[in-house]
Amino acid sequence: MIGSGAWGPRQGVGARNHLAADWRGLDLSLALSLSLLPDLVILLLVYPPLLSSTFSFVSRPHLLLVSSCLVTFAFSLERYIPVGTGVRRCRPTALFQTTAHRLVSQLTTPSTVVWPLSLFSHVVPPGNHDSFTELTSSFTFARTNIGSPSMMSKLGSPLGSPTLAATTAQFRNRLPTQFRRCLPIYVAAIILIFFTFNLNLFHSRVREVTSNAAALARPPVPVVAAPTVPITPVGPAQTPKAVRTEFPRKIWQTWKVNPLRFEERDINTARSWVGKNPDYRYEVLTDDNDMKYVEWHFGPEGFNRPDIVNFYRDVKAAIVKADLLRYIVMYAEGGLYADIDVEALKPLSKFIPDRYNVKDIDMVIGVEIDEPDWKDHPILGPKSRSFCQWTFMCKPQLPVMMRLIEQIMTWLNGVAKEQNVPLADVKLDFDQIISGTGPSAFTTAILAEMDLHKEDPNIKVDWDLFHDLQESKLVSRTLVLTVEAFAAGQGHSDSGNHDARAALVRHHYHASNWPSRHPRYSHPAYGEVEKCNWNDECVKTWDKNVEAFAKMTEEEQRKIVAQKEQERKEAAEKAKAEEEKRKKDREEAEKRKKEEEEKKRKEAEAKKAEAQEAKRKEEEEKRKEEEKKGWLHFS
């Protein structure tokens, strides 16, 4: 309620004149007050960076609240304006409509913001132009001088000082009494609006304090840092990276053709991996896409190793490319590699025993050949101690894989230089493949890596740590499994059989025909020592015969060679005959099986036909009996 001392009702003619004068001042004060409020809203919407820390929450929906306040204020004032007094003035409703129209215009065109006093220049009563001009000049003075250094120094002086008193008197003389009366109401309205807008901040602060208190009440969770192994740069332009803490869930195989063209035997082995590991991805690299894979990962946008790309492109020996490709894949992406003729017996979740933490392991391998008694044999020695490389697991970008790739490149370039031929024309025998790219090279690189990263400098890492291994062993972040894991059923190295609990895979060897292109050493009289399959008596006999052969005369040697060739020929013919007999037996067995199946099928069809005929006759007889009784048969 507006007090009578200011704008309250008056009596008589004098009171009417005072009322008219007060309401003219009230129109001006109301115009100024309402003009400042839209200006504030414009600043909040058009210039949010200036006030982002406090008013960044203001959005256009808040204008609904401001508009409702303006409407309520305008219509509440209208009831105090007497009708029929003859005083020319601006009605608050008209003032609000015009002001809202201009406010919307400024909001829709933020680039042209008009100062607030210009909003109401068209709604000032005709008799109040002088007062409005005075107010405009006063307001302009305040806006112009409020930020000046002299004004700021005056405002910074102590309260009650003569300087501040003079300043306030200056403003008091330049502002009308009506404006000073309206100013507290305007400030109170602005404070109310700000308080309403900031309610959500109070609630969010309460929630933040509550959540922080709850977080402090919870016991702290220990943070365990996963071990990482930095990769030492081993080639030009190689970027060191950290080893993953988990093994990639990916199964890799390589073959001549893609899985859609697999033979039945290859399909069966491939399905064993996918079937036992449904949560793993499965991919086969072939002779058609392997080069693209190498270029993608080791090209300029990959590891930037053009020497590896060019080397892989120039090599033509299939077994060398097969060995090299598995090392390349394991370095680039990691996961599990298995030859195409290796069958999964157990899921990959069984490859790492429960007593180990996978974060402590970078590689999983298994023993293949453990016959150290023959380490000094001229032929069997380099192959007598080796890890299996037809199946193994790796985390990506292990240094040992890159060193192995580079060692193969160095070795084969050296062989090409010795033979004075390009890489594509290098001739390699079985032993060179085994020691240069196969299991022997694989084993040598891993043992060197283990010794490089051993925890105890007094321990020598060599094959003695893994001879006659009864349970898996973790050495330098490499988990070595027993021979039964990946190489069961070999007939040597105490490898047991595939029914053993530790057996994880079965190697069928049907894809291991590369020795035909890279032959083993075969003695002219006694053949290959590898045919002994590491049997001690057989190897000793072979060595004794070879030693005696070297002491014979050439004539005696020719006789022995002719005799052994005849024996081998007869043995080959016998083996061929046995194979043909087995093949014939298999064909006859399959033929009998098909005949029995066909016979059973015909018997089943005949029984079915007899049953249908019996049912038909039964229904016919039943129908005839019903007709005799006078019932009409409906079927």
Side-chain angles (χ1 to χ4, degrees):
M1 184 68 181
I2 301 177
S4 59
W7 298 324
R10 301 174 187 264
Q11 303 295 330
V13 177
R16 181 174 298 177
N17 294 334
H18 281 290
L19 181 64
D22 287 344
W23 278 112
R24 284 196 297 271
L26 179 61
D27 287 340
L28 292 176
S29 300
L30 181 62
L32 180 60
S33 302
L34 295 181
S35 66
L36 292 177
L37 189 59
D39 184 52
L40 175 63
V41 176
I42 292 171
L43 288 176
L44 294 177
L45 296 178
V46 178
Y47 302 108
L50 299 178
L51 302 171
S52 59
S53 61
T54 306
F55 305 116
S56 60
F57 57 87
V58 177
S59 59
R60 291 185 183 270
H62 292 132
L63 290 178
L64 297 176
L65 179 59
V66 177
S67 302
S68 63
C69 292
L70 292 176
V71 173
T72 305
F73 190 31
F75 279 95
S76 62
L77 288 176
E78 190 172 6
R79 61 190 293 268
Y80 290 97
I81 300 178
V83 181
T85 58
V87 180
R88 298 183 63 186
R89 60 190 179 277
C90 172
R91 303 284 288 181
T93 52
L95 174 65
F96 172 74
Q97 293 173 357
T98 309
T99 304
H101 176 71
R102 290 210 170 188
L103 175 61
V104 172
S105 300
Q106 292 194 29
L107 288 177
T108 54
T109 58
S111 60
T112 56
V113 179
V114 184
W115 285 109
L117 290 177
S118 63
L119 289 172
F120 300 93
S121 59
H122 65 290
V123 298
V124 177
N128 291 341
H129 283 290
D130 295 338
S131 300
F132 190 83
T133 302
E134 181 181 358
L135 285 174
T136 305
S137 62
S138 300
F139 191 74
T140 304
F141 170 81
R143 285 195 172 184
T144 305
N145 296 281
I146 192 66
S148 63
S150 60
M151 182 62 68
M152 295 303 295
S153 62
K154 292 178 181 180
L155 293 176
S157 60
L159 293 176
S161 65
T163 304
L164 184 59
T167 303
T168 55
Q170 182 182 7
F171 273 105
R172 184 168 59 252
N173 293 335
R174 298 184 66 89
L175 294 177
T177 303
Q178 289 83 356
F179 178 80
R180 294 199 303 274
R181 290 174 179 175
C182 187
L183 187 59
I185 300 177
Y186 167 71
V187 173
I190 294 301
I191 293 175
L192 179 61
I193 292 174
F194 283 172
F195 179 78
T196 304
F197 284 172
N198 281 273
L199 284 178
N200 60 343
L201 296 183
F202 290 112
H203 291 300
S204 62
R205 179 60 181 169
V206 171
R207 287 192 297 267
E208 180 181 357
V209 172
T210 305
S211 61
N212 290 340
L216 292 175
R218 291 194 298 266
V221 179
V223 179
V224 179
T228 58
V229 178
I231 291 182
T232 305
V234 293
Q238 180 183 349
T239 304
K241 295 184 179 179
V243 176
R244 292 177 181 266
T245 58
E246 301 288 339
F247 284 89
R249 306 181 78 81
K250 185 72 174 285
I251 298 171
W252 295 93
Q253 291 190 306
T254 60
W255 193 230
K256 303 173 184 177
V257 296
N258 64 68
L260 297 179
R261 298 171 56 192
F262 276 1
E263 298 180 22
E264 184 177 358
R265 62 182 186 181
D266 300 327
I267 290 177
N268 293 334
T269 57
R271 284 175 176 171
S272 68
W273 291 104
V274 177
K276 289 182 172 56
N277 305 280
D279 54 340
Y280 276 69
R281 294 181 297 147
Y282 174 81
E283 185 170 348
V284 177
L285 292 178
T286 69
D287 293 347
D288 297 328
N289 58 29
D290 58 341
M291 191 67 239
K292 294 296 182 182
Y293 181 89
V294 176
E295 291 174 348
W296 173 269
H297 287 282
F298 291 85
E301 297 183 1
F303 296 108
N304 194 20
R305 292 295 303 268
D307 54 336
I308 295 178
V309 176
N310 294 331
F311 180 83
Y312 189 85
R313 182 184 295 110
D314 293 340
V315 171
K316 301 304 179 184
I319 185 59
V320 174
K321 293 177 77 76
D323 286 338
L324 189 60
L325 184 58
R326 71 189 67 185
Y327 306 142
I328 287 176
V329 170
M330 289 295 100
Y331 180 81
E333 297 192 56
L336 176 129
Y337 172 82
D339 279 355
I340 197 65
D341 54 0
V342 176
E343 174 189 358
L345 299 179
K346 291 181 175 64
L348 290 176
S349 59
K350 302 294 185 180
F351 281 33
I352 300 178
D354 296 336
R355 65 178 178 272
Y356 296 109
N357 188 343
V358 69
K359 295 181 180 180
D360 299 330
I361 302 172
D362 293 337
M363 193 172 186
V364 179
I365 58 178
V367 175
E368 178 186 358
I369 300 177
D370 183 23
E371 297 288 347
D373 294 340
W374 300 102
K375 63 182 179 180
D376 297 326
H377 194 276
I379 298 175
L380 299 178
K383 298 170 282 190
S384 61
R385 299 161 296 174
S386 64
F387 295 124
C388 174
Q389 49 107 243
W390 62 58
T391 303
F392 64 99
M393 292 173 62
C394 268
K395 291 179 180 178
Q397 299 171 32
L398 293 183
V400 64
M401 289 293 104
M402 179 54 67
R403 291 193 181 95
L404 184 54
I405 294 170
E406 293 178 340
Q407 289 173 10
I408 292 173
M409 294 168 59
T410 302
W411 167 75
L412 196 57
N413 281 318
V415 174
K417 186 176 181 179
E418 291 177 0
Q419 297 181 6
N420 196 23
V421 295
L423 283 174
D425 298 332
V426 169
K427 304 297 182 182
L428 301 171
D429 59 30
F430 180 89
D431 293 327
Q432 287 176 308
I433 296 293
I434 293 296
S435 60
T437 67
S440 296
F442 183 73
T443 302
T444 301
I446 291 176
L447 289 176
E449 187 74 11
M450 289 180 179
D451 191 65
L452 182 64
H453 297 286
K454 60 186 177 183
E455 297 180 358
D456 188 353
N458 298 322
I459 296 179
K460 182 181 179 180
V461 178
D462 56 15
W463 191 258
D464 292 340
L465 288 176
F466 311 107
H467 173 54
D468 196 20
L469 194 64
Q470 299 299 316
E471 62 179 5
S472 58
K473 181 179 293 186
L474 182 62
V475 179
S476 300
R477 301 185 62 83
T478 299
L479 180 63
V480 182
L481 304 180
T482 63
V483 67
E484 291 178 328
F486 296 155
Q490 296 181 104
H492 60 78
S493 305
D494 196 20
S495 58
N497 55 61
H498 296 99
D499 296 329
R501 183 178 181 181
L504 300 175
V505 303
R506 180 196 297 267
H507 194 188
H508 293 276
Y509 299 98
H510 58 250
S512 302
N513 60 347
W514 61 269
S516 61
R517 295 184 295 273
H518 304 276
R520 297 180 175 92
Y521 170 76
S522 180
H523 191 272
Y526 303 106
E528 302 169 359
V529 67
E530 286 87 355
K531 291 184 178 180
C532 291
N533 197 25
W534 302 96
N535 181 273
D536 290 348
E537 292 299 327
C538 180
V539 173
K540 290 178 180 179
T541 301
W542 189 90
D543 289 342
K544 186 183 297 184
N545 291 335
V546 170
E547 183 179 359
F549 183 86
K551 297 178 181 180
M552 294 180 183
T553 62
E554 293 184 0
E555 183 65 25
E556 293 175 337
Q557 290 180 351
R558 283 194 294 269
K559 290 181 179 180
I560 295 294
V561 169
Q563 179 183 353
K564 294 298 180 182
E565 287 182 351
Q566 182 64 28
E567 292 177 357
R568 286 195 291 269
K569 183 178 180 180
E570 293 176 356
E573 291 178 352
K574 182 179 180 181
K576 183 178 179 181
E578 292 177 352
E579 179 62 25
E580 291 179 353
K581 184 177 183 301
R582 285 193 297 268
K583 183 178 179 181
K584 185 177 180 180
D585 293 340
R586 286 195 300 268
E587 291 177 353
E588 292 179 353
E590 291 178 358
K591 184 178 179 181
R592 288 194 299 269
K593 183 178 179 180
K594 290 181 179 180
E595 291 176 352
E596 291 177 357
E597 291 177 351
E598 182 67 16
K599 182 179 179 181
K600 291 180 179 179
R601 185 185 64 80
K602 291 181 178 180
E603 291 177 353
E605 291 180 353
K607 290 181 179 180
K608 184 177 180 181
E610 291 177 359
Q612 292 177 350
E613 180 65 20
K615 184 177 179 181
R616 187 187 64 78
K617 291 181 177 181
E618 183 179 356
E619 291 177 352
E620 182 67 19
E621 293 177 356
K622 186 176 180 181
R623 185 183 65 80
K624 290 180 178 180
E625 291 179 358
E626 291 176 351
E627 288 179 352
K628 291 180 180 180
K629 295 179 179 180
W631 292 93
L632 183 61
H633 178 71
F634 294 94
S635 58

